[in-house]
Amino acid sequence: MLFRRTQSSGKLGNIVFGLWGKVELDNDELAIIKRYRLDNAILIDAGQEHLVRNSALTGLLVFAIASIVLLTFATAKAALFFGFIVGGIAGYVYFHQKRETIFVRDLMHGRQFKCGSVVELARKEEWLGLVTAFLRQVMESAKHWGGTETRDIEALPKDEARRVIIAGL
């Protein structure tokens, strides 16, 4: 796992911390990822309920502004067409810059993360290290998939079994 940390001045004089992360894979690991299509697997699933809506609103706003500006230079059809293209690109870029869900392919190609503090940067780095270790173990077990495996499941004591049943695991 490769990490690169940066810091820069943000809006209103705040410091914005950046973390770039990338996994280095050998040819055997790349073959496993390709064979099992792990590049589309989600490593961190972050529920961002408003991300799609905010991306659409951003695209719509850029579409409106671009269309109005382009109306001074082009016909209405052309202005709306190019406004739609620019708005779509703006919404797409906004979505991918703000999403917290991390796919395996993100780390295969390297991904930049913005962090509001050093603490957030340290947490993100540790979390990425943890999920990368998880991915490593999945790839190791993928080398030996197939066949039958036997696992012994021990019975729990009565009171503990009852708690597990009530809690639903």
Side-chain angles (χ1 to χ4, degrees):
M1 184 83 199
L2 299 174
F3 288 116
R4 183 180 316 132
R5 296 170 208 90
T6 60
Q7 61 179 331
S8 61
S9 296
K11 299 173 186 171
L12 305 172
N14 296 344
I15 297 176
V16 176
F17 298 94
L19 177 66
W20 177 82
K22 180 180 179 185
V23 294
E24 287 194 327
L25 303 166
D26 62 25
N27 290 335
D28 292 338
E29 292 166 335
L30 287 171
I32 289 170
I33 286 175
K34 183 176 180 181
R35 178 177 179 166
Y36 296 107
R37 293 186 219 127
L38 292 174
D39 56 332
N40 291 322
I42 295 173
L43 286 175
I44 298 175
D45 189 12
Q48 294 179 279
E49 299 81 26
H50 302 296
L51 182 60
V52 172
R53 182 192 63 168
N54 291 346
S55 299
L57 290 174
T58 300
L60 187 62
L61 180 65
V62 171
F63 162 74
I65 293 170
S67 296
I68 291 169
V69 169
L70 289 172
L71 273 173
T72 61
F73 302 109
T75 65
K77 276 186 176 179
L80 290 174
F81 176 76
F82 288 112
F84 181 76
I85 299 271
V86 171
I89 291 171
Y92 178 83
V93 168
Y94 180 90
F95 179 84
H96 284 287
Q97 283 185 342
K98 298 293 183 179
R99 75 177 163 87
E100 289 292 323
T101 299
I102 301 171
F103 295 89
V104 171
R105 69 176 171 265
D106 291 333
L107 296 181
M108 289 174 63
H109 303 293
R111 178 153 172 212
Q112 182 73 32
F113 303 94
K114 290 183 180 176
C115 304
S117 69
V118 174
V119 173
E120 185 182 341
L121 184 138
R123 283 184 180 150
K124 180 73 76 177
E125 187 174 312
E126 190 61 32
W127 187 239
L128 289 171
L130 182 66
V131 296
T132 302
F134 168 78
L135 174 64
R136 176 80 172 111
Q137 296 313 311
V138 168
M139 288 191 300
E140 277 302 309
S141 66
K143 291 178 184 178
H144 311 291
W145 280 348
T148 304
E149 178 181 342
T150 302
R151 291 187 183 183
D152 292 329
I153 309 296
E154 297 291 329
L156 298 172
K158 181 180 174 183
D159 290 338
E160 191 175 342
R162 184 169 187 235
R163 281 194 297 274
V164 168
I165 292 168
I166 291 171
L169 294 180

